[in-house]
């Protein structure tokens, strides 16, 4: 099979949601279609249980499991589907953001009772930055939720994207009868409690078909009215608008009851993009190019504490990845070979001989690979866009065992390379500042430092509210700013200067006072970047 044929056969996406909206349940049901898992609950175990937010032991236990479910590959009707798992917990949002750089599209799960929640909004913001195509699955229709039109408005408003329903529900909660497929014009009836794959589908000529009245009684009239309204309010579904991230098609269903999941999957396969091109610092790389290229978007360290192995997750962007072939490690400027690359078919790790664009390959590594690293078949290019976001919580790292400071140094270096937190070092006094997006990471760091490196430390809270990478066209101004603000400047792991502000108000003042300095809220993980590419929508911190 040619590379183009291999590409056409693949779909790589992530399911994202606010915790508890039903991501895990939906993933599990999708895997069932591909025969990916036999036992229900296999995906569930990856989830951080409610009430366990500070239970890092639980997280630690799940770290092993989450390697197995980081990528789930299934084959359905000749298509290879790679589902990239994303942690739902907000404290691990950065991990999710990075995973989103490795997918070609996204399925967003929304709970019909709760509507669009905070984490959904944030994740959607990242999708918008990259124009990632999004399909929305409104879940839990078997529960009494918000009215569908209200939900549509909320989706448009809070997610800043146009929506287009492709199915429409008939009632909700205990009165839920099923969904009407606006595209195929068939009615799909809900059979509560029946969690089977095949279901009751009723083909109708159109909405005037008397069969509707027979099966739905008085609800048929409401359905006709609502569908007429939908067709009047929303534009016809246009695949090009979906692919460019302008319109999100919407499906209704109940993941728990496996209702509406097949509609979702089949439409997904029809409209979702095969592996797409990726931007590099030199040029846009097309998947169909002969020569291999790929980038690392995730690292899992110390899975087995006895061996200091790490697993790097590489997304293949172009050409063909081959086992035992030498590839160029662009950052280290050296050739590198992998003798045991593996994939994630059917939840089992198995060594692979080759992989194609869209595939994710697991690479055992002894410290050569970092998040954002690019591998190629010789070309000196670096993929862009694996972002690092401005952290929100800052603490000083203080060693509590002077005898083991080397271990502490190594541990913190490796854990931050894994993307667990960001490390900033101040010039004055070499103070080490750890920045995270959530409190949970500090517990995880303490625990892992102790258990994996035998190093102990404590964290001293710092009064900073924001950190921004700073750049300027004018080197002298930047240097002067760094000199004056030395006590609030530290350097990230690539040696780039970062300014720390105690309040958003203070940061805004600095932005106003120093117009020739640019304050960035995101940065890239790539080595030697030419400067941050994306800024968060806000120009000022809030
Ligand atoms: P997440 O990964 O997005 O965090 O959500 P997850 O799938 O774990 O689902 C969260 C809760 O919502 C689970 O209940 C799950 O059973 C339930 N759920 C998922 N889909 C549906 C649906 O279509 N209808 C209804 N009514 N509930 C749904 P739980 O009580 O937290 O867990 P469990 O005891 O069921 O395992």
């Amino acid at each position: 099979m040619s590379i183009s044929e291999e590409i056409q056969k693949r779909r790589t996406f992530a399911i994202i949601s606010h915790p508890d909206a039903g991501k895990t349940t939906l993933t599990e049901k999708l895997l069932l279609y591909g025969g990916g898992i036999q036992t229900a609950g296999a995906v569930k175990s990856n989830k951080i249980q409610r009430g366990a937010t500070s239970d890092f032991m639980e997280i630690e236990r799940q770290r092993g499991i989450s390697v197995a479910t980081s990528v789930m590959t299934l084959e359905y009707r000749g298509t290879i589907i790679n589902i990239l798992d994303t942690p739902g917990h907000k404290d691990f949002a950065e991990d999710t953001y990075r995973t989103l750089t490795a997918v070609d599209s996204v399925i967003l799960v929304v709970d019909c009772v709760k509507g669009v929640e905070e984490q959904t909004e944030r994740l959607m913001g990242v999708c918008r930055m990259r124009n990632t195509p999004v399909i929305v699955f409104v879940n839990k229709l078997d529960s009494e939720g918000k009215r569908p039109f209200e939900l549509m408005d909320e989706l448009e408003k809070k997610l800043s994207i146009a929506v287009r329903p492709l199915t429409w529900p008939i009632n909700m909660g205990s009165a839920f009868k099923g969904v009407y497929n606006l595209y195929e014009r068939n009615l799909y009836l809900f059979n509560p409690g029946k969690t089977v794959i095949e279901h009751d589908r009723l083909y109708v000529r159109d909405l005037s078909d008397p069969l509707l009245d027979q099966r739905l009684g008085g609800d048929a009239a409401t359905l006709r009215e609502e569908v007429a309204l939908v067709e009047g309010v929303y534009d016809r579904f246009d695949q090009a608008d979906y692919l460019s991230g302008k319109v999100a098609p919407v499906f209704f269903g109940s993941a728990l009851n496996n209702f509406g999941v097949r509609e979702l999957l089949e439409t997904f396969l029809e409209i979702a993009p095969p592996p797409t091109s990726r931007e590099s610092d030199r040029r846009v790389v097309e998947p169909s190019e002969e020569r291999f290229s790929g980038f690392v978007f995730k690292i899992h360290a110390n899975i087995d504490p006895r061996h200091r192995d790490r697993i790097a997750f590489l997304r293949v962007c172009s050409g063909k990845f081959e086992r035992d072939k030498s590839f160029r490690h662009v950052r280290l400027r050296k050739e590198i070979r992998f003798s045991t690359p593996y994939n994630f078919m059917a939840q089992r790790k198995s060594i692979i001989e080759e992989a194609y664009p869209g595939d994710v390959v697991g690479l055992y590594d002894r410290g050569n690979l970092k998040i954002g690293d690019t591998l190629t078949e010789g070309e000196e290019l670096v993929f862009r866009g694996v972002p690092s976001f401005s952290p929100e919580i800052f603490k000083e790292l203080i060693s509590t065992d002077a005898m083991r400071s080397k271990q502490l140094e190594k541990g913190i270096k490796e854990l931050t390379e894994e993307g667990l937190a960001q490390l900033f070092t101040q010039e004055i006094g070499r103070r080490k500042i750890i920045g995270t997006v959530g409190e949970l990471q500090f517990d995880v760091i303490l625990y892992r430092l102790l258990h994996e490196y035998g190093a102990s430390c404590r964290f001293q809270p710092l009064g900073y509210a924001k950190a921004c990478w700073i750049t300027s066209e004018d080197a002298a101004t930047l240097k002067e700013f760094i000199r004056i603000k030395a006590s609030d400047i530290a350097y990230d792991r690539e040696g780039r200067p970062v300014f720390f502000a105690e309040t958003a108000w203070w940061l805004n003042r600095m932005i106003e006072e120093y117009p020739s300095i640019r304050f960035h809220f995101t940065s890239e993980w790539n080595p030697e970047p030419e400067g941050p590419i994306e800024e968060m929508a806000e120009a000022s911190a809030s």
Side-chain angles (χ1 to χ4, degrees):
M1 207 180 276
S2 71
I3 288 190
S4 318
E5 283 167 330
E6 294 283 359
I7 294 166
Q8 287 310 318
K9 251 178 77 172
R10 281 165 169 77
R11 300 289 181 277
T12 301
F13 73 105
I15 304 180
I16 55 175
S17 74
H18 190 89
D20 277 340
K23 178 175 78 72
T24 315
T25 313
L26 180 64
T27 309
E28 204 173 284
K29 296 296 189 275
L30 288 173
L31 290 175
L32 282 173
Y33 284 93
I37 46 168
Q38 272 69 42
T39 49
V43 182
K44 192 111 228 151
S45 49
N46 183 22
K47 193 179 153 181
I48 295 174
Q49 298 298 324
R50 249 196 308 272
T53 45
S54 61
D55 188 351
F56 42 82
M57 291 287 283
E58 174 69 8
I59 293 161
E60 185 56 21
R61 186 184 69 74
Q62 289 177 1
R63 218 159 54 84
I65 300 164
S66 72
V67 170
T69 57
S70 280
V71 186
M72 289 160 279
T73 301
L74 63 128
E75 196 164 346
Y76 183 71
R77 298 195 175 162
T79 304
I80 293 174
I81 302 172
N82 296 310
I83 308 177
L84 273 54
D85 192 30
T86 55
H89 199 288
K90 74 168 175 32
D91 286 7
F92 291 93
E94 274 224 52
D95 200 13
T96 301
Y97 299 155
R98 287 192 292 266
T99 299
L100 290 180
T101 64
V103 301
D104 302 300
S105 69
V106 153
I107 292 180
L108 179 71
V109 185
V110 174
D111 180 335
C112 74
V113 182
K114 299 204 180 120
V116 176
E117 296 170 86
E118 185 199 339
Q119 189 63 4
T120 326
E121 277 182 67
R122 294 180 74 164
L123 291 167
M124 187 63 201
V126 178
C127 292
R128 268 201 315 272
M129 272 164 70
R130 309 174 49 80
N131 299 325
T132 309
V134 175
I135 295 181
V136 178
F137 183 74
V138 179
N139 191 28
K140 306 197 187 180
L141 264 281
D142 58 321
S143 310
E144 226 54 70
K146 299 188 179 184
R147 307 262 322 125
F149 280 112
E150 189 190 331
L151 274 168
M152 291 300 104
D153 285 348
E154 193 176 322
L155 286 169
E156 289 206 320
K157 241 180 244 141
K158 291 201 174 163
L159 302 181
S160 308
I161 188 167
V163 293
R164 178 44 161 119
L166 291 188
T167 62
W168 195 254
I170 302 146
N171 301 333
M172 278 191 173
S174 53
F176 181 51
K177 291 209 173 138
V179 292
Y180 180 73
N181 192 324
L182 299 160
Y183 216 47
E184 295 172 2
R185 302 192 171 197
N186 56 31
L187 190 67
Y188 168 27
L189 296 172
F190 181 55
N191 221 337
K194 214 171 149 203
T195 55
V196 287
I197 288 182
E198 289 309 317
H199 35 243
D200 202 358
R201 222 187 275 232
L202 199 67
Y203 287 88
V204 287
R205 217 178 33 248
D206 56 34
L207 276 172
S208 63
D209 199 320
L211 206 58
L212 279 180
D213 303 277
Q214 276 172 30
R215 298 297 291 259
L216 297 177
D219 292 325
T222 317
L223 176 67
R224 288 186 185 111
E225 263 170 45
E226 291 190 349
V227 169
L229 203 55
V230 169
E231 303 292 5
V233 170
Y234 299 100
D235 292 336
R236 265 180 66 85
F237 172 66
D238 180 344
Q239 192 184 1
D241 285 344
Y242 155 69
L243 291 174
S244 58
K246 290 197 196 100
V247 168
V250 180
F251 288 82
F252 291 87
S254 165
L256 190 64
N257 291 289
N258 204 348
F259 186 83
V261 178
R262 194 170 70 175
E263 273 64 18
L264 173 73
L265 177 61
E266 287 179 357
T267 311
F268 169 81
L269 291 178
E270 205 181 307
I271 64 172
T276 44
S277 57
R278 286 280 181 289
E279 256 181 67
S280 78
D281 59 341
R282 303 242 165 132
R283 60 187 185 83
V284 172
V285 176
E286 296 297 334
S288 57
E289 289 177 22
E290 278 290 302
R291 279 148 59 103
F292 159 79
S293 67
F295 67 91
V296 175
F297 63 93
K298 184 183 177 105
I299 301 251
H300 259 283
N302 303 339
I303 298 311
D304 178 353
R306 285 164 305 170
H307 309 102
R308 288 235 169 265
D309 273 349
R310 313 202 281 189
I311 297 170
F313 293 82
L314 173 107
R315 147 106 195 190
V316 180
C317 296
S318 69
K320 181 158 88 166
F321 174 91
E322 285 172 80
R323 183 164 90 91
D324 268 333
K325 184 165 175 171
S326 267
F327 291 119
R328 180 82 176 154
H329 187 316
V330 177
R331 177 177 55 87
L332 295 182
R333 298 191 165 89
K334 69 175 193 186
E335 306 303 305
I336 187 164
R337 272 187 321 127
F338 301 94
S339 55
T340 54
Y342 63 81
N343 76 354
F344 307 84
M345 197 75 168
Q347 297 258 298
R348 278 188 314 270
K349 287 192 309 202
S350 45
I351 305 245
I352 48 149
E353 293 301 324
E354 53 193 39
Y356 293 91
D359 285 343
V360 173
V361 183
L363 302 171
Y364 277 108
D365 168 53
R366 297 218 155 200
N368 281 319
L369 295 170
K370 285 189 193 177
I371 291 172
D373 273 346
T374 298
L375 299 180
T376 68
E377 221 172 304
E379 195 173 346
E380 301 285 330
L381 59 79
V382 171
F383 284 104
R384 311 225 69 163
V386 181
S388 195
F389 287 80
S390 167
E392 283 153 28
I393 305 171
F394 305 92
K395 294 187 185 182
E396 183 183 351
L397 175 83
I398 298 167
S399 169
T400 48
D401 182 353
M403 303 294 285
R404 301 196 56 88
S405 57
K406 273 231 168 67
Q407 283 85 347
L408 181 64
E409 191 114 336
K410 181 174 188 316
I412 206 72
K413 178 177 170 284
E414 291 189 1
L415 295 184
T416 51
E417 274 173 11
E418 198 184 316
L420 190 57
Q422 293 180 58
L423 170 68
F424 306 97
T425 310
Q426 279 196 313
E427 207 148 61
I428 308 168
R430 308 298 300 160
R431 189 159 78 145
K432 285 190 166 47
I433 300 173
I434 302 290
T436 67
V437 288
E439 280 289 344
L440 194 52
Q441 273 102 329
F442 290 102
D443 291 338
V444 177
I445 294 171
L446 280 182
Y447 179 84
R448 290 187 59 187
L449 280 174
L450 191 64
H451 287 82
E452 292 165 28
Y453 300 89
S456 59
C457 66
R458 65 183 175 85
F459 289 110
Q460 171 89 24
L462 295 172
Y464 294 123
K466 278 275 165 192
C468 291
W469 283 268
I470 45 173
T471 59
S472 176
E473 309 268 292
D474 176 0
T477 310
L478 185 65
K479 201 171 161 200
E480 182 58 8
F481 182 81
I482 290 173
R483 193 187 64 78
I484 302 170
K485 305 287 173 202
S487 58
D488 294 326
I489 301 279
Y491 294 83
D492 76 0
R493 39 198 283 288
E494 306 291 343
R496 292 171 292 199
V498 177
F499 172 68
F500 290 76
E502 287 184 7
T503 60
W505 175 84
W506 182 248
L507 178 60
N508 279 335
R509 227 187 106 177
M510 292 300 108
I511 292 171
E512 275 166 28
E513 230 171 83
Y514 294 89
S516 59
I517 290 186
R518 295 185 64 198
F519 295 77
H520 307 270
F521 291 92
T522 63
S523 169
E524 285 209 10
W525 273 80
N526 303 338
E528 301 167 4
E530 284 156 19
I533 46 152
E534 299 276 11
E535 282 184 68
M536 290 296 253
E538 357 114 69
S540 60
S542 55

